[in-house]
Amino acid sequence: YDPNNHMTFYDFRDSIYKTDDFGSTHNFVGQASFSGDIKVAAIAENNSQIIVVARNEWIEKSTDGGATFSSIKSNLPNYEIRDVSFNPKDDDNIFVVYGRYQNDGNKVFMTTNGGASWQNITYNLGNMPISSVVIDHTPAANIYLGAEIGVYAKAMNANTWTLYNTGLPN
């Protein structure tokens, strides 16, 4: 759904459709330039015109509500993207995670410039797949990762991930 208008829902397939009437009608919006179904999508929390979509190693961003897309892959590795998330306070701050077992230090990436370049923030995470990423709305803008063996967290500016398992099983 659109985080800025909870009555608007998107359908991401090989093309993007949008509905404002609980699915009675779906209006074509646009499509990414890569072929196949979109596997991951995120809408910026401050500007619904900014949408990021991904399939396998391809990642693209729209700044016109999904009508057109351009690649923001830049220096990201050629692995399948598992999840994408926006910082709720900064639409240029985007996060990408990879669900790979390899211990190559390429699990979590962040951009602060809308995807022009990416920084690897995997730091001390091991060789486990990362399935999801979310950033909270606190002043610290904590980042949480849903991993194969637990939930990990770090503050935005920290460089160490810690197991966040308060009452949670691994």
Side-chain angles (χ1 to χ4, degrees):
Y1 72 95
D2 182 335
N4 300 293
N5 180 352
H6 294 193
M7 300 302 286
T8 300
F9 290 85
Y10 288 83
D11 182 0
F12 295 97
R13 299 178 197 198
D14 62 338
S15 299
I16 300 164
Y17 297 87
K18 183 167 108 174
T19 181
D20 296 331
D21 58 11
F22 297 104
S24 294
T25 60
H26 287 85
N27 301 311
F28 174 81
V29 175
Q31 89 189 105
S33 62
F34 54 76
S35 62
D37 287 343
I38 294 166
K39 291 188 176 180
V40 177
I43 302 168
E45 292 196 33
N46 301 297
N47 181 349
S48 302
Q49 295 298 301
I50 303 173
I51 300 172
V52 172
V53 296
R55 174 185 169 75
N56 300 335
E57 72 271 14
W58 298 289
I59 182 168
E60 297 183 353
K61 182 173 84 172
S62 174
T63 57
D64 59 9
T68 61
F69 285 87
S70 59
S71 175
I72 58 170
K73 184 168 174 42
S74 184
N75 59 310
L76 287 173
N78 288 321
Y79 308 132
E80 182 177 344
I81 295 168
R82 185 66 63 91
D83 196 17
V84 175
S85 186
F86 283 92
N87 181 338
K89 296 181 175 86
D90 182 353
D91 296 338
D92 283 331
N93 193 200
I94 307 167
F95 298 81
V96 172
V97 297
Y98 294 92
R100 306 175 64 245
Y101 284 99
Q102 290 75 8
N103 192 11
D104 60 5
N106 289 316
K107 304 292 183 189
V108 186
F109 287 80
M110 170 182 79
T111 181
T112 57
N113 55 20
S117 63
W118 296 84
Q119 173 189 356
N120 186 336
I121 60 168
T122 304
Y123 303 128
N124 61 311
L125 291 173
N127 58 344
M128 64 189 146
I130 308 298
S131 296
S132 59
V133 57
V134 66
I135 297 82
D136 69 20
H137 290 78
T138 66
N142 295 302
I143 307 166
Y144 297 90
L145 302 176
E148 182 89 355
I149 52 172
V151 175
Y152 290 81
K154 79 172 198 68
M156 184 68 65
N157 296 321
N159 59 9
T160 302
W161 294 95
T162 57
L163 186 60
Y164 181 81
N165 64 348
T166 308
L168 297 172
N170 279 352

